Amino acid sequence: MVKAKAKPGPLARRPDNSAFKQQRLPAWSPMLTAHTVLPFFYILALICLLLGVWLLLTVQSTQEMKLFYTEAKTCAECFEKRENVSLAAEECRCTVTFLIEKAFKGDVFFYYGLKNFHQNLRRYMDSRDDGQMVGRKSNLKNPSLYCSPFSQDQNGLPVAPCGAVANSIFNDSFTFTYHKSASQNIPVPLLRNGITWYTDKNIKFRNPRMGNLTLDQVFEGTTHPPYWQKPVNELDPDDPTNNGFINDDLIVWMREAAFPNFKKLYGVLCRDNKPFTKGLPAGNYSIEITYNFPAQRFQGRKQVVLTTLTWFGDPPAATAAGHSGPVPRTTPPF
């Protein structure tokens, strides 16, 4: 049986005459008075106050130390040298000493930080090829146009990884030393892998499939970014599994920061051996810095941040890379 077509007109779209559609269902409307509302608000305010105090005390239990080294002490000479582009290839090292008055207990995280570096500029953020970073061979030799002018070198060789983000990677390195006494200097061991997000390391960043080829053969026919000193397949000479697009330092840098002042994870204290089993003991320390990253052009500042964490996280800061827990591989200070 064919249903009769509704007649046009102002009543054609009228809802059915039912209790649900005509809003005639039984309803209960509470009568709000001061005697019922005010106690509820007072109890809710007290709960929020106690929760806020608890969270504040939790965050204040973390320890943090910031060391600005852009022009500190012997780094001033390196700062001036990096201002001269013709001297960019020359190695420059400097040392910064500091005192830890109260021991850092538990896991200690080492960050590098930049101020006034705008990773959130749209043109900068677009200057990358995610297809290349995920390991597609077609993108390896034919980078995206978004990477221009960092897609090919002067000889027409494709750049891997391409783009302004990879080209500007932070390349200062640090060696931490604990001066237990005047005659006893102990290197501070750091875990330098496992510092990336799991999804970044295993999904978003992959090397091209090698088959029977070596990593060097896979990247044959490509060149490194202009500001790099070595190709992507030779970033970590101590660990062959940490080369190519899955290099931890590269992955951490490629996750752009939302604000111009940020810090990114560099390493985690290895607590396997004394005197670091309980954290960083109080005392005198020094950092030997291989000073490569120039900060003059963007009027920036560089820093090293040492901090502990709680279940609530680290002290408030603009962080671009999370921490998924280091795997147990100990390397000498990088």
Side-chain angles (χ1 to χ4, degrees):
M1 182 177 180
V2 180
K3 186 178 180 180
K5 187 176 181 180
K7 296 181 179 181
L11 301 180
R13 299 172 60 87
R14 185 176 65 178
D16 296 336
N17 188 20
S18 63
F20 177 75
K21 292 188 176 182
Q22 296 298 333
Q23 300 183 10
R24 294 195 300 265
L25 292 175
W28 174 72
S29 298
M31 299 297 295
L32 301 179
T33 64
H35 294 289
T36 58
V37 174
L38 289 180
F40 173 77
F41 282 142
Y42 290 148
I43 295 174
L44 184 62
L46 180 61
I47 294 174
C48 292
L49 178 63
L50 295 177
L51 182 62
V53 172
W54 177 49
L55 293 178
L56 180 62
L57 294 176
T58 301
V59 172
Q60 288 181 343
S61 66
T62 61
Q63 295 175 264
E64 183 181 70
M65 175 177 288
K66 297 181 179 180
L67 304 169
F68 289 90
Y69 68 91
T70 312
E71 298 176 81
K73 299 181 180 180
T74 58
C75 292
E77 181 180 347
C78 295
F79 177 81
E80 296 177 358
K81 180 177 288 189
R82 289 295 168 258
E83 191 172 8
N84 189 341
V85 179
S86 62
L87 302 177
E90 293 186 11
E91 186 179 85
C92 188
R93 295 176 181 269
C94 60
T95 302
V96 175
T97 59
F98 61 97
L99 171 66
I100 294 182
E101 297 181 352
K102 183 180 179 181
F104 280 58
K105 295 182 180 180
D107 291 328
V108 183
F109 296 81
F110 294 75
Y111 294 85
Y112 63 84
L114 290 176
K115 287 187 175 294
N116 203 39
F117 191 96
H118 292 263
Q119 272 198 317
N120 56 354
L121 292 177
R122 182 173 180 179
R123 182 68 185 91
Y124 177 87
M125 297 180 68
D126 289 342
S127 186
R128 58 188 294 165
D129 188 347
D130 290 328
Q132 186 187 61
M133 302 297 293
V134 82
R136 296 175 186 167
K137 289 189 176 181
S138 58
N139 295 70
L140 181 64
K141 299 297 178 67
N142 297 284
S144 170
L145 295 177
Y146 284 104
C147 289
S148 182
F150 304 107
S151 56
Q152 295 180 339
D153 68 355
Q154 297 178 349
N155 299 322
L157 288 176
V159 174
C162 70
V165 182
N167 185 56
S168 61
I169 187 173
F170 184 86
N171 56 351
D172 285 2
S173 58
F174 311 98
T175 299
F176 296 86
T177 304
Y178 170 48
H179 303 282
K180 189 173 183 179
S181 63
S183 59
Q184 188 176 10
N185 301 323
I186 305 174
V188 179
L190 298 182
L191 294 169
R192 293 281 289 118
N193 66 347
I195 60 176
T196 63
W197 289 16
Y198 176 85
T199 51
D200 287 349
K201 184 77 171 182
N202 296 277
I203 299 176
K204 294 183 63 177
F205 294 85
R206 305 298 299 164
N207 282 329
R209 294 185 177 181
M210 296 186 292
N212 295 326
L213 302 177
T214 64
L215 192 63
D216 294 341
Q217 292 173 329
V218 170
F219 283 96
E220 187 176 353
T222 65
T223 186
H224 58 77
Y227 293 169
W228 287 27
Q229 299 178 358
K230 49 188 175 182
V232 68
N233 51 299
E234 299 177 5
L235 290 179
D236 191 348
D238 298 324
D239 184 4
T241 64
N242 192 36
N243 282 317
F245 297 146
I246 59 174
N247 177 266
D248 282 12
D249 290 326
L250 174 62
I251 295 175
V252 169
W253 178 259
M254 293 297 290
R255 179 170 285 276
E256 296 100 335
F259 302 100
N261 302 331
F262 59 86
K263 67 175 189 271
K264 298 196 178 190
L265 189 59
Y266 181 80
V268 184
L269 175 67
C270 178
R271 299 166 56 193
D272 291 342
N273 301 314
K274 293 182 179 181
F276 306 110
T277 54
K278 296 182 180 180
L280 279 181
N284 295 309
Y285 290 81
S286 65
I287 309 175
E288 184 180 2
I289 304 166
T290 303
Y291 202 108
N292 296 316
F293 193 83
Q296 295 90 338
R297 298 306 175 99
F298 60 94
Q299 298 179 351
R301 310 291 295 175
K302 300 190 292 184
Q303 63 178 334
V304 173
V305 182
L306 282 65
T307 182
T308 59
L309 298 183
T310 65
W311 66 268
F312 194 66
D314 60 344
T319 307
H323 173 62
S324 59
V327 299
R329 179 181 72 87
T330 307
T331 61
F334 185 74

